[in-house]
Amino acid sequence: KQWYQRRVAITAGERAETQKIYETEMNRLDNIKSKCNFQKKTWENKVQKGREALLKNEANCINTRLSCRKELFEKDLLLKRLVIDTKRCEKNIPELTASLPLLEKMIKE
């Protein structure tokens, strides 16, 4: 009976020591897990902010392209109109120049 009681006391001491080691190790691992979760959240936030900035920049780029395309189209129309007007003037200038003496003659009379 004494042997049994001593064995129970030794086993209880070993169990307490093992429990203490287990709890210490679990606390250490919980701390590591908490740090990793914190870093994960931090990086997820940074990535999210980066994605939002990227989407904003892409939207700005698209808007800039569209406005530039519209301006270019309008300038192209103006340039085409200028070319047409220039051709018409080039055609009419010789006619006007040729009719100038006739007009001068009409004015004198």
Side-chain angles (χ1 to χ4, degrees):
K1 195 171 183 181
Q2 284 181 343
W3 177 85
Y4 180 73
Q5 288 175 345
R6 254 186 318 166
R7 191 70 186 142
V8 168
I10 291 171
T11 306
E14 288 175 354
R15 183 181 178 283
E17 202 174 305
T18 304
Q19 185 67 27
K20 185 177 179 182
I21 292 169
Y22 172 80
E23 288 175 359
T24 303
E25 191 62 22
M26 288 304 291
N27 284 337
R28 186 180 73 79
L29 293 175
D30 279 344
N31 287 340
I32 291 171
K33 182 180 176 186
S34 295
K35 287 177 184 177
C36 288
N37 285 337
F38 176 76
Q39 288 179 345
K40 180 183 173 192
K41 285 284 184 190
T42 301
W43 284 109
E44 284 174 349
N45 288 339
K46 286 183 180 181
V47 167
Q48 182 63 29
K49 287 178 184 176
R51 284 184 181 142
E52 289 171 0
L54 177 64
L55 289 174
K56 183 180 175 184
N57 288 337
E58 286 176 345
N60 287 341
C61 186
I62 289 169
N63 289 337
T64 303
R65 278 191 200 140
L66 290 176
S67 66
C68 287
R69 207 175 281 152
K70 182 181 176 189
E71 288 177 22
L72 189 61
F73 178 73
E74 290 171 356
K75 287 180 181 178
D76 187 50
L77 288 178
L78 288 173
L79 188 59
K80 286 180 181 177
R81 177 64 191 236
L82 182 63
V83 168
I84 291 169
D85 288 345
T86 303
K87 285 182 181 178
R88 192 174 69 222
C89 287
E90 287 174 349
K91 178 184 169 192
N92 289 337
I93 287 176
E95 291 174 10
L96 291 172
T97 307
S99 65
L100 220 95
L102 181 64
L103 284 173
E104 288 175 352
K105 184 178 176 185
M106 290 173 96
I107 291 174
K108 287 180 182 177
E109 293 177 357

